[in-house]
Amino acid sequence: VVVVGGGPAGLAAAYEAAETAHVVLLEGQQELGGSAIMGDAVTAVPSAELLARWDAAAGHANPARTRFALRVRPDVVDWLAGRGMKWKPVDDHLKDGSELMRPDGGGRNLVGVLVRAIEERKVEVRLGAWVERLERTRGLKVLVRGGEPVECDAVVLATGGFAGNLERVREKLGLGDLPLLREAGKFADGNGIGLATSMGGVEVEPADVLLYGHGVPAPEDPERAIMVVDAYHGFPVGADGVYLPELQSPRGDSGLALME
């Protein structure tokens, strides 16, 4: 199995796959962790009431959103705690029904736990391995820029969202030339979406970028607004640049400072 992307999702996928397969993890950067190593990794455990409000705001239930709300504690919080991570509570300043907590050491420490987990399962990691395209042979072939292709039976694309690809955000949301802030690194360019569609995959509900970690829907029109989070301060704004404290709790002390 080849996993493309070494952020938290890719690391978790590699850990799971390595229980029954040989796994090669390809990361385009020279360090594992993706955008997670830039933040404090505050994690929200939504309440049932908050999930209902999300569904009402979007106008329909979303299986991925429901799965997140139900599984974030056992799959993220409890699993990491079981591997020694210490969590600290964070005040829910907006009282929106979320239980907020921050890992000691922030995102970099969270990534460290996952890296140690894949090392235990002998995952083969290749850094600086930027995947340019996929090909079908008798199985699958992963072509890496400037490197040897990797043949495999299955590929997991865990390249993150496309919040770092501002042109793609504008295109998908019809934002024209509207200025946007950038949270994700420039390396988060949405390349994985193209890899998937090139192999016959279908991009379903592209406006769901709004439900990615860098975006939220506007309650009155779920496909209209986008929240962009500044990597160093953590504040939500709409596509028109207006600060939107009612849409999401500030994630961390800096968000509270900006609200005040």
Side-chain angles (χ1 to χ4, degrees):
V1 174
V2 167
V3 176
V4 182
L11 292 168
Y15 175 80
E16 291 290 335
E19 185 174 11
T20 55
H22 175 66
V23 177
V24 178
L25 179 91
L26 304 177
E27 166 55 49
Q29 302 303 299
Q30 294 297 331
E31 181 178 12
L32 293 171
S35 298
I37 60 177
M38 300 189 300
D40 61 5
V42 171
T43 298
V45 180
S47 64
E49 293 76 15
L50 182 59
L51 175 61
R53 291 206 298 274
W54 286 348
D55 288 344
H60 60 85
N62 178 297
R65 186 169 58 235
T66 301
R67 184 170 62 250
F68 163 76
L70 296 177
R71 299 301 306 173
V72 63
R73 175 171 286 283
D75 289 352
V76 179
V77 176
D78 294 345
W79 187 87
L80 288 168
R83 299 189 69 89
M85 175 169 283
K86 304 297 184 183
W87 293 92
K88 294 181 178 180
V90 177
D91 289 340
D92 178 11
H93 302 291
L94 292 185
K95 309 301 180 186
D96 69 354
S98 295
E99 179 187 6
L100 305 180
M101 57 200 74
R102 177 192 292 110
D104 279 348
R108 188 171 290 276
N109 191 27
L110 182 149
V111 168
V113 173
L114 291 170
V115 169
R116 290 190 292 274
I118 67 168
E119 288 173 346
E120 292 171 5
R121 289 195 169 172
K122 310 300 182 184
V123 171
E124 180 182 346
V125 176
R126 302 184 188 179
L127 300 176
W130 189 266
V131 175
E132 294 191 315
R133 69 181 192 275
L134 306 177
E135 291 182 357
R136 293 189 188 275
T137 56
R138 286 179 294 180
L140 292 167
K141 183 182 289 186
V142 183
L143 289 95
V144 179
R145 182 185 303 163
E148 293 294 321
V150 184
E151 295 190 359
C152 59
D153 297 309
V155 175
V156 177
L157 298 175
T159 59
F162 45 82
N165 183 344
L166 301 187
E167 293 308 312
R168 186 169 180 82
V169 171
R170 291 190 183 93
E171 172 194 350
K172 290 298 180 182
L173 299 180
L175 300 179
D177 295 328
L178 192 68
L180 295 174
L181 301 176
R182 185 192 307 276
E183 194 279 339
K186 292 182 179 180
F187 55 82
D189 69 349
N191 183 51
I193 296 172
L195 293 173
T197 55
S198 72
M199 300 297 288
V202 178
E203 187 177 354
V204 179
E205 297 189 56
D208 275 358
V209 66
L210 299 175
L211 300 175
Y212 186 64
H214 310 289
V216 293
E220 71 280 5
D221 184 359
E223 295 189 1
R224 182 184 62 78
I226 184 170
M227 182 191 79
V228 184
V229 183
D230 178 84
Y232 300 101
H233 301 97
F235 62 95
V237 296
D240 54 3
V242 175
Y243 177 46
L244 301 171
E246 72 277 10
L247 292 185
Q248 178 169 316
S249 295
R251 299 311 189 212
D253 298 336
S254 53
L256 175 64
L258 284 164
M259 174 177 286
E260 292 174 340

